[in-house]
Amino acid sequence: MRYFFTFLLINAFLINAPVAGQTDSAQVKVVKDKVKISGKLYYIHTVRTGETLYNIARAYQIAQEAILESNPELSQGVKVGNTIKIPVVQDLKNPNKNKGTFHIVKKGETLYSIAKEYSIPTERLAEINQLMDFNVKENQSLFISTDRDAIKQHKKELIASLNETQVAAASPVKLVSHEVLPKETLTSISKKYGITIDELVGNNPFLKAEGLKVGQVLAIPTKQDKGVAAAQSVPEKSAVSKEPYAYKSTTVFNVVMMLPFGGAHVGLDSLGKGAASRRFDDMMQYYEGTLVAIDSLKNKGVSVNLTVIDTKSDKDPSAVAQALKNPALKEANLIIGPVYPEAIPTIAKYAQSHRIPMVSPLANTEPLVKNNDYLIQIASEADVLAKLSVEYAKKGEGKTILVVPSDGSDAKLVKEFKAMLKEKLPELSYRQGNNAASQREALRGKLAEGKKTRFVVLSNNEVFVLDFLQNLTTASKGYDVEVLGTQKWLKFNSIDIAYLHGSNVQMYVQNYVDYNQESAKSFVRSFRNYYKADPNNYAFRGFDVAYFFIDAMRKLGPDFVDSLPKLSSKNVHTPFRFVKEGDGGYMNTDAALIKHVEGYKVVRLK
């Protein structure tokens, strides 16, 4: 069966005194002998140079909080020569719902199989570990919660959501899945379903690149869908009309999507075979997410004629030139893609000259957007996240304190933030590495009973952030606190997950899927139903873009671009709020706000 990969932002977390870097767990010498102390089994581990609580916990595959419970003195930091009691996992009794153990992903394991092993819902396991989708990789460390009450409650919610009545959609691209069996051919499969080989390949573009293989899952158009699009009329291009648009049920919107299937599969430039194969699968998931969106829009009476053009690698000028010869472009009402920057200028020029709205789904195209009134960029710029963070700091809710590194590090971030803030807020000059007890006492002095204290941390230094959160989590027990960080914190691999949740860390991120929300559950159900697989980030992206812009045409007509700033949407994965760039096109200026809360939950606030 065809498998799917994606690029993950993986969080592995630790509790430890500040260090310059983290040593891999493979360098920790694991003690095999066990000793019994007060009726419990332990490993006795002596800390060596370079070892931290993080990699010691990973080496023994146990939660760091469990080690801290048995060694309270470690709250002041781990030192070379310390003798540590490591609880034997099977003897560990852990009543705290913010605790658990680790699982190291083995070759061939999936998130689903691991969740099944521990009797945890897949969505819950993904949420706890802040996975952006359902994909894991070998040797990845996953935190396994032991909060059985929370797991049972999550199961109840999941079962309830899956049992909800789902409206069946009868889209012109309604598909059924077919897994390729030994000795099957394109001819035999097309005859089996009463379709042509061209229709089969058209709905499965990857066949052009890799051919038919046993185990592939093919999307098969059902018989009742054939010819629907051809029987309906195509809206004519016209000058921007001032009359209100009235959508007619006989209208069919022509959408052209350009994705790099061929080049992604065969591999290009410095990409190794594995990376190229992953990229190919990502493009397939983007395409499949788009089909789910088109199917969902049928519930609103929308008909779509989708043409997918393989742009090879997006880097081959001849492939891009060939794409422009596709006759479907002459009737296009919307172009989605290309994906990579190299192909965008040529296609954007064509779109502008033919007055066709063109969506750049992944690439940064800001210079082009400023001079092309039909180009729309989905990816939000870094300054968008900064501006939203400034808006957060200006809120009148509670007491807001700017946390600034006392050693002058992150000076550029501090200067730019203050320049956008344009007002004076209380500051805390914080020195990473000072005595933990005095740091915590100083932090307590900033807190007020019965009033929220909001810390805006102006640093992307991993060691600094670790030190601050560690001390704040301990100092703020019994107080109402919030911390605003940055999206870059998601790439840190040395911050214990307990500190993110204990300090109620929030951050603006370009995109985020909250699997507790009905829109995400509905998409996952539909995707699994069609493709017998879980969606990754690219599937969510494809869904959001296709659904939003096709629905915009339904509401406003093919000439919707001038009204784009009036439309906004939270979406499932990436929120949209567009602003016109002078006389040019449109930039997305929205982002998701996520918050870490009790019970290892991450909720999307907006």
Side-chain angles (χ1 to χ4, degrees):
M1 180 171 291
R2 189 159 54 84
Y3 50 91
F4 300 93
F5 296 83
T6 189
F7 301 101
L8 300 175
L9 294 175
I10 302 168
N11 290 314
F13 301 94
L14 69 98
I15 303 175
N16 198 12
V19 292
Q22 297 300 328
T23 308
D24 187 82
S25 59
Q27 298 179 5
V28 176
K29 186 176 181 180
V30 175
V31 177
K32 301 296 183 182
D33 296 330
K34 305 172 186 177
V35 298
K36 182 173 281 190
I37 302 175
S38 301
K40 295 182 179 180
L41 289 175
Y42 296 92
Y43 301 108
I44 304 301
H45 180 90
T46 301
V47 179
R48 299 186 301 169
T49 301
E51 292 182 349
T52 67
L53 189 58
Y54 164 71
N55 54 29
I56 292 171
R58 285 198 64 176
Y60 284 92
Q61 298 187 34
I62 189 172
Q64 297 161 71
E65 285 285 357
I67 298 178
L68 284 173
E69 278 189 351
S70 301
N71 304 270
E73 69 279 4
L74 297 184
S75 61
Q76 300 298 317
V78 174
K79 299 178 181 178
V80 175
N82 281 155
T83 300
I84 301 176
K85 294 183 294 184
I86 311 290
V88 177
V89 173
Q90 61 264 33
D91 287 19
L92 182 64
K93 304 299 181 184
N94 194 346
N96 190 320
K97 67 180 176 181
N98 275 352
K99 298 172 185 175
T101 188
F102 284 116
H103 177 92
I104 307 300
V105 179
K106 302 178 185 67
K107 186 175 181 179
E109 287 187 321
T110 65
L111 194 68
Y112 174 78
S113 67
I114 296 169
K116 188 174 181 181
E117 177 183 343
Y118 290 96
S119 300
I120 299 174
T122 308
E123 288 82 356
R124 174 65 172 163
L125 188 56
E127 179 185 26
I128 290 174
N129 289 278
Q130 300 186 64
L131 301 182
M132 304 301 281
D133 52 34
F134 292 105
N135 291 303
V136 293
K137 63 182 182 181
E138 188 177 357
N139 294 323
Q140 180 179 342
S141 177
L142 297 178
F143 183 81
I144 309 296
S145 173
T146 56
D147 180 8
R148 310 314 300 178
D149 292 337
I151 291 172
K152 287 178 182 178
Q153 179 60 30
H154 189 92
K155 281 184 176 179
K156 288 179 182 179
E157 294 172 357
L158 184 61
I159 291 171
S161 69
L162 292 175
N163 287 335
E164 291 173 0
T165 303
Q166 189 173 3
V167 178
S171 167
V173 291
K174 178 70 174 181
L175 305 172
V176 296
S177 61
H178 174 87
E179 184 174 349
V180 179
L181 302 175
K183 297 183 179 182
E184 284 190 318
T185 65
L186 292 176
T187 301
S188 66
I189 295 172
S190 60
K191 285 183 177 180
K192 179 178 180 179
Y193 290 96
I195 60 176
T196 66
I197 292 178
D198 286 343
E199 288 174 317
L200 180 60
V201 175
N203 281 278
N204 301 274
F206 60 89
L207 292 174
K208 297 178 183 178
E210 66 177 4
L212 191 68
K213 296 179 181 179
V214 174
Q216 287 173 327
V217 177
L218 306 180
I220 310 294
T222 56
K223 280 187 176 182
Q224 67 263 29
D225 298 324
K226 292 173 60 181
V228 173
Q232 299 180 0
S233 61
V234 176
E236 297 179 357
K237 294 183 179 69
S238 60
V240 177
S241 173
K242 296 181 180 179
E243 297 296 324
Y245 177 77
Y247 176 72
K248 298 178 181 179
S249 60
T250 56
T251 298
V252 176
F253 294 122
N254 293 307
V255 179
V256 173
M257 186 162 66
M258 298 184 178
L259 297 176
F261 289 108
H265 175 68
V266 300
L268 291 157
D269 304 328
S270 61
L271 285 175
K273 182 178 179 181
S277 180
R278 284 196 297 272
R279 192 170 70 181
F280 170 78
D281 287 335
D282 288 338
M283 293 304 100
M284 275 305 304
Q285 285 241 348
Y286 192 98
Y287 165 66
E288 291 164 344
T290 299
L291 293 183
V292 175
I294 293 173
D295 187 72
S296 300
L297 283 162
K298 182 58 183 177
N299 292 328
K300 294 184 176 182
V302 180
S303 295
V304 176
N305 183 21
L306 175 67
T307 300
V308 181
I309 300 176
D310 181 1
T311 53
K312 305 304 179 186
S313 69
D314 274 357
K315 298 180 181 180
D316 182 357
S318 62
V320 176
Q322 188 62 34
L324 286 175
K325 295 179 182 179
N326 193 301
L329 282 170
K330 295 180 180 179
E331 304 297 336
N333 304 114
L334 175 69
I335 299 173
I336 300 175
V339 169
Y340 296 105
E342 292 82 353
I344 291 175
T346 301
I347 305 299
K349 183 177 180 181
Y350 177 93
Q352 184 177 32
S353 63
H354 290 77
R355 303 178 62 254
I356 306 171
M358 172 183 160
V359 180
S360 173
L362 300 176
N364 181 329
T365 58
E366 185 176 8
L368 292 174
V369 170
K370 291 180 178 179
N371 298 296
N372 189 328
D373 52 349
Y374 279 83
L375 184 57
I376 305 162
Q377 177 177 313
I378 298 300
S380 54
E381 300 293 317
D383 65 338
V384 168
L385 302 181
K387 289 175 182 176
L388 290 171
S389 297
V390 167
E391 290 176 12
Y392 169 94
K394 288 182 176 180
K395 284 182 181 177
E397 178 187 357
K399 175 184 178 183
T400 301
I401 300 173
L402 301 184
V403 180
V404 179
S406 62
D407 61 1
S409 60
D410 285 297
K412 183 180 178 182
L413 172 62
V414 173
K415 182 179 179 180
E416 291 176 350
F417 191 92
K418 288 183 177 179
M420 286 189 288
L421 187 62
K422 296 179 180 177
E423 62 181 72
K424 186 74 173 175
L425 286 177
E427 286 187 24
L428 169 63
S429 180
Y430 187 89
R431 179 175 293 278
Q432 164 260 324
N434 275 3
N435 177 269
S438 60
Q439 292 278 49
R440 293 167 187 174
E441 188 61 34
L443 285 170
R444 286 192 195 96
K446 300 290 183 181
L447 307 176
E449 292 186 7
K451 186 177 182 180
K452 178 177 289 185
T453 305
R454 304 154 73 240
F455 294 93
V456 179
V457 181
L458 301 181
S459 175
N460 286 318
N461 181 291
E462 186 168 356
V463 176
F464 179 92
V465 173
L466 166 63
D467 188 85
F468 177 78
L469 292 181
Q470 180 179 355
N471 287 319
L472 179 64
T473 300
T474 302
S476 63
K477 290 184 189 238
Y479 291 90
D480 186 3
V481 299
E482 270 181 12
V483 172
L484 183 71
T486 76
Q487 181 173 252
K488 291 184 178 180
W489 291 15
L490 290 175
K491 295 182 179 180
F492 293 169
N493 63 3
S494 62
I495 297 182
D496 192 294
I497 192 170
Y499 294 151
L500 293 173
H501 294 273
S503 297
N504 297 308
V505 171
Q506 300 186 32
M507 60 187 69
Y508 283 97
V509 295
Q510 289 177 322
N511 44 64
Y512 186 81
V513 178
D514 186 345
Y515 291 100
N516 292 309
Q517 294 186 356
E518 180 53 35
S519 57
K521 293 177 183 177
S522 177
F523 174 74
V524 172
R525 283 196 299 265
S526 296
F527 195 92
R528 287 173 175 172
N529 180 50
Y530 290 137
Y531 306 113
K532 312 306 178 189
D534 283 319
N536 71 12
N537 264 337
Y538 287 86
F540 283 106
R541 292 173 191 262
F543 177 87
D544 279 353
V545 168
Y547 194 98
F548 178 87
F549 286 99
I550 296 172
D551 196 44
M553 289 194 290
R554 177 188 70 86
K555 296 174 181 175
L556 302 170
D559 299 313
F560 66 88
V561 286
D562 286 342
S563 299
L564 199 54
K566 299 177 183 178
L567 302 176
S568 63
S569 177
K570 181 178 180 180
N571 296 328
V572 180
H573 179 269
T574 307
F576 296 161
R577 182 177 60 195
F578 294 97
V579 171
K580 187 172 177 62
E581 288 287 302
D583 294 328
Y586 301 85
M587 300 282 292
N588 185 18
T589 61
D590 208 355
L593 177 62
I594 61 173
K595 181 177 182 179
H596 299 74
V597 297
E598 186 181 3
Y600 288 123
K601 289 187 177 182
V602 180
V603 296
R604 181 172 165 182
L605 302 180
K606 70 176 287 294

